[in-house]
Every structure is written in C-alpha cells, then in structure tokens.
Amino acid sequence: MRTTEETRKLIEALTDEQAQKQLQEIESQIDNTIFDTRPHRKPTYIYYYERLTDATKSILSRSGYKVKESDNQHDGYSAKISWETISEK
C-alpha cells in the first residue's frame, strides 16, 4: 500500500504534467495568433476552451498573463488569457 506522502507526490507529479501540457498548448495558440501573417491589429488575448488546472493558472499569473474564466450553459467553459493591457486616458 502506498503511503499518503507517496500519494501526494504522485498527485503533484500528475498535476505538474497536466499543467505543462496545457501551457504548451496555450503557448502554441499564442504563437499562432501573434505570428499570423494577415494584415490586421494583433490580438492581445486568446480563448482556451479546456478547464485550467490551478497550477496552470498560477504559472500564467506569475508570468504576467491575466486569466479570466467564464462558465455558462450557453457557451460552456472558456478562459480568456491576455498579455497586454491598454491604459485608459
């Protein structure tokens, strides 16, 4: 039988693995958005449609991204991940 400490470590490892997978997907989506060659103003956010882990949200926040989650019956779950703030004059 595994000890509680071993179980905690296993959960942390799985959470870290899931967070790294999400972060790779988010980074790829951001790259696709900012390197889009069509001539238009580059967006300052993306929408991510899988539920974010707490670890992913924490890493994004520490890295300077703003994360706003939305969950409703009509649209389902989405997380708006933005990287630029526009100051109001």
Side-chain angles (χ1 to χ4, degrees):
M1 181 76 177
R2 144 183 342 123
T3 66
T4 56
E5 185 60 29
E6 290 170 333
T7 300
R8 280 191 212 101
K9 286 182 181 180
L10 179 59
I11 290 170
E12 284 178 17
L14 290 172
T15 300
D16 287 346
E17 187 177 302
Q18 187 176 15
Q20 290 305 317
K21 179 182 176 283
Q22 286 184 335
L23 290 168
Q24 288 174 346
E25 291 171 352
I26 290 167
E27 184 176 39
S28 175
Q29 193 173 341
I30 289 171
D31 286 351
N32 288 340
T33 300
I34 63 174
F35 293 120
D36 183 356
T37 58
R38 290 178 287 180
H40 62 288
R41 183 179 183 282
K42 299 298 180 188
T44 57
Y45 60 87
I46 61 164
Y47 283 99
Y48 188 73
Y49 296 100
E50 290 184 34
R51 198 162 299 279
L52 296 173
T53 66
D54 289 339
T56 302
K57 289 185 272 189
S58 177
I59 292 167
L60 286 169
S61 180
R62 284 193 316 252
S63 299
Y65 292 91
K66 183 177 178 185
V67 178
K68 182 177 179 185
E69 295 177 284
S70 175
D71 195 358
N72 60 55
Q73 285 184 317
H74 184 265
D75 298 323
Y77 174 84
S78 68
K80 181 180 180 181
I81 301 168
S82 58
W83 54 88
E84 181 179 302
T85 58
I86 300 172
S87 60
E88 294 182 22
K89 294 183 180 186

